Amino acid sequence: MQSKSYSVFDAFLFLCVLLLITLGISFIYSSGVNSAGISVKKEYVKQIIWASTGIIIMLFFALFDYRFFYQHAKKLYALMIVLLVITLIFGKKVKGARSWLGIGGLGIQSAEFCKVLFILTLAYFFDKTETMSPKKRFMQAGMMLLLPMGLILMQPDLGSASVYLPIFITMGFIAGIELPYLLIFISAGALTIVLTVLPIWEKEIYQGAIPAMQLLTNSNLRLLLTVGSAIIMIIALLARIFFRNRYYTWISTVFGIIVFALVASIAAGKVLKPYQVSRLIVFLDPSVDPRGAGWNIIQSKIAIGSGNLFGQGYLQGTQSHLQFLPEQSTDFIFSILSEELGFAGCCVVFILYFIILMRILYIIRSTTNNYGYYISGGILGMLFFHFIVNVGMVMGIMPITGIPLLFMSYGGSSLWTAMICVGLLMSISARRLDFQELI
């Protein structure tokens, strides 16, 4: 039921989104222009179609009462898992990842839409379990996260899987999950990445032998380290039970994180493709593979640097029109904008995203419904992560993970997902002072 006091349509939020979409279409067009000034790609036409239909989808979700999803949250979670399993088995391989469902040239990236399903179901879980013990609540929420993330990593799609982490952390934080639990979660994930990358870093960048690294490269020593850490963890847990000293809790936690990271890094090494792991290390030193994995970062930094204050002018960029930038309409759309509009154009994009994020924070602060509160938090985490990682990626301060710049990058699945989220935000905003109980 719509609140009588507020309009469903949030003009302020929509205007910022529309400006970002317009900028995106403009530079998708620019990415298809060659050095002779001739448009050789029609991606911008598809993007216009996706944007037009995306606005309709946004309006549908804005008019629709988001609280309807509350009573169907368990079904939505099941639907998410089914979609990911079907994609894993029957999906079409694109760029090494089996992440697309469709026929011929028509398809969707299921992991993108599953982000929305995950937000809707995790919001339901946090609302239903407010009286549950903090530890049990955190562990059950973590299990809800690991299943879809694991299925996406099996595709393998590292970029899409990584987005689920900030969604979980943001929603967990505003849901009152105690900070130590979140820090444990973050530490385990960070250590897993480090242990996955270190052996390759030693070989490709350091190009020498580090004695201590044999603990990770020698399978027997690695097994011994894992088993030893597990034994210490179990002994500490037993000591905590018998002696009731919190000191043993911290020992068991630290070694539990180590065991998890050691096992997970082995799994990551098996699942992830070599080029995906290479992306995680070349941002430390792109010159290690300047014509391979480091090429994207090097060319992107050249494009951004050549933009200076006001850029080279629209359709006047050299890196993009000479086709030096790979994936320039998707992952590196921000590089083209930086080259052609310069620092001033970058500031416009930053301001628009800042306004959107501030608007979401306002919706979070003003809504009286816990379900809407948690959903808004999940969307905030998703949009912020996409923005920070994509911009950091093209500037060379974060690894290339294939995460698009929402509203601007070429692609129907990511754009529709973002527009669904905007529609949900409008629906929550319109009903933020509606005290009607969830059905």
Side-chain angles (χ1 to χ4, degrees):
M1 179 178 176
Q2 179 180 337
S3 172
K4 296 178 181 179
S5 304
Y6 297 90
S7 170
V8 168
F9 189 75
D10 190 328
F12 200 62
L13 178 61
F14 176 68
L15 178 62
C16 294
V17 168
L18 185 62
L19 287 172
L20 286 173
I21 291 174
T22 303
L23 281 172
I25 292 171
S26 300
F27 287 97
I28 289 170
Y29 173 80
S30 179
S31 72
V33 176
N34 62 19
S35 57
I38 301 172
S39 179
V40 294
K41 293 182 181 179
K42 301 298 180 183
E43 290 180 336
Y44 73 96
V45 176
K46 292 182 180 179
Q47 192 73 359
I48 290 173
I49 295 172
W50 288 329
S52 301
T53 52
I55 291 172
I56 295 172
I57 292 171
M58 178 204 72
L59 290 174
F60 171 79
F61 278 90
L63 292 167
F64 196 82
D65 191 336
Y66 71 95
R67 293 171 295 188
F68 169 81
F69 298 113
Y70 188 88
Q71 57 184 319
H72 299 288
K74 293 179 181 179
K75 297 175 185 176
L76 293 178
Y77 188 82
L79 174 63
M80 174 180 66
I81 300 304
V82 169
L83 273 175
L84 292 175
V85 170
I86 291 175
T87 303
L88 191 60
I89 299 173
F90 302 106
K92 183 170 65 173
K93 264 196 173 183
V94 178
K95 299 174 185 176
R98 194 179 298 278
S99 56
W100 292 82
L101 284 177
I103 301 173
L106 298 176
I108 61 167
Q109 194 171 2
S110 58
E112 288 292 332
F113 296 103
C114 286
K115 294 173 189 174
V116 180
L117 297 177
F118 180 68
I119 290 171
L120 293 172
T121 53
L122 189 61
Y124 166 82
F125 173 81
F126 280 138
D127 181 66
K128 277 288 190 181
T129 59
E130 289 188 335
T131 58
M132 185 182 289
S133 69
K135 185 177 180 180
K136 186 177 180 181
R137 193 181 187 209
F138 169 73
M139 293 182 66
Q140 289 190 12
M143 293 302 296
M144 287 182 65
L145 167 72
L146 291 177
L147 183 54
M149 265 195 71
L151 290 171
I152 296 170
L153 284 172
M154 289 172 68
Q155 294 179 358
D157 187 350
L158 178 63
S160 295
S162 65
V163 180
Y164 287 71
L165 291 172
I167 291 173
F168 176 84
I169 292 169
T170 307
M171 295 180 71
F173 178 76
I174 68 172
I177 295 293
E178 294 180 7
L179 189 59
Y181 291 124
L182 294 177
L183 291 176
I184 290 170
F185 183 83
I186 295 170
S187 301
L191 186 59
T192 299
I193 295 172
V194 170
L195 295 183
T196 303
V197 169
L198 272 179
I200 303 172
W201 173 85
E202 179 194 37
K203 179 181 178 182
E204 302 293 339
I205 295 181
Y206 184 76
Q207 295 183 345
I210 302 176
M213 202 66 72
Q214 292 187 31
L215 290 171
L216 299 178
T217 56
N218 185 299
S219 57
N220 290 330
L221 290 176
R222 190 179 184 121
L223 177 62
L224 186 63
L225 177 63
T226 305
V227 173
S229 299
I231 291 172
I232 294 174
M233 178 189 70
I234 294 170
I235 292 173
L237 283 173
L238 293 173
R240 173 69 177 89
I241 295 172
F242 287 108
F243 299 109
R244 300 187 181 278
N245 191 323
R246 292 180 63 87
Y247 172 76
Y248 296 109
T249 302
W250 287 108
I251 294 177
S252 63
T253 300
V254 169
F255 280 93
I257 291 172
I258 293 172
V259 171
F260 174 86
L262 285 168
V263 175
S265 62
I266 294 173
K270 300 288 185 182
V271 172
L272 297 180
K273 302 292 183 183
Y275 77 90
Q276 290 174 314
V277 181
S278 297
R279 285 176 171 181
L280 295 174
I281 62 170
V282 293
F283 82 100
L284 297 173
D285 185 7
S287 62
V288 168
D289 189 11
R291 294 186 178 275
W295 174 266
N296 295 3
I297 295 177
I298 293 171
Q299 298 305 318
S300 176
K301 291 167 74 173
I302 292 173
I304 293 173
S306 65
N308 295 313
L309 185 58
F310 295 106
Q312 299 184 26
Y314 183 58
L315 300 180
Q316 301 302 313
T318 54
Q319 292 297 107
S320 60
H321 295 167
L322 291 173
Q323 304 299 311
F324 286 138
L325 275 172
E327 310 296 338
Q328 54 190 20
S329 65
T330 52
D331 299 347
F332 291 89
I333 193 73
F334 189 78
S335 302
I336 302 176
L337 180 142
S338 302
E339 183 182 30
E340 298 187 1
L341 297 188
F343 180 73
C346 296
C347 287
V348 171
V349 174
F350 273 69
I351 290 170
L352 290 173
Y353 265 100
F354 178 77
I355 293 172
I356 291 172
L357 295 175
M358 289 301 102
R359 187 63 181 170
I360 300 174
L361 282 174
Y362 171 75
I363 293 171
I364 291 174
R365 287 172 60 91
S366 60
T367 184
T368 58
N369 185 287
N370 282 346
Y371 189 51
Y373 176 69
Y374 296 139
I375 292 173
S376 302
I379 294 173
L380 176 69
M382 184 188 79
L383 292 181
F384 180 75
F385 185 77
H386 267 272
F387 176 70
I388 290 296
V389 171
N390 182 272
V391 172
M393 177 181 75
V394 301
M395 293 172 65
I397 58 177
M398 285 192 177
I400 297 174
T401 53
I403 292 178
L405 185 57
L406 293 180
F407 306 116
M408 292 186 65
S409 292
Y410 171 75
S413 294
S414 61
L415 181 58
W416 282 356
T417 299
M419 296 305 279
I420 289 171
C421 288
V422 173
L424 287 170
L425 289 169
M426 289 185 179
S427 179
I428 294 166
S429 179
R431 301 167 177 85
R432 64 183 182 272
L433 298 183
D434 191 340
F435 289 91
Q436 177 187 342
E437 292 293 329
L438 293 170
I439 298 172

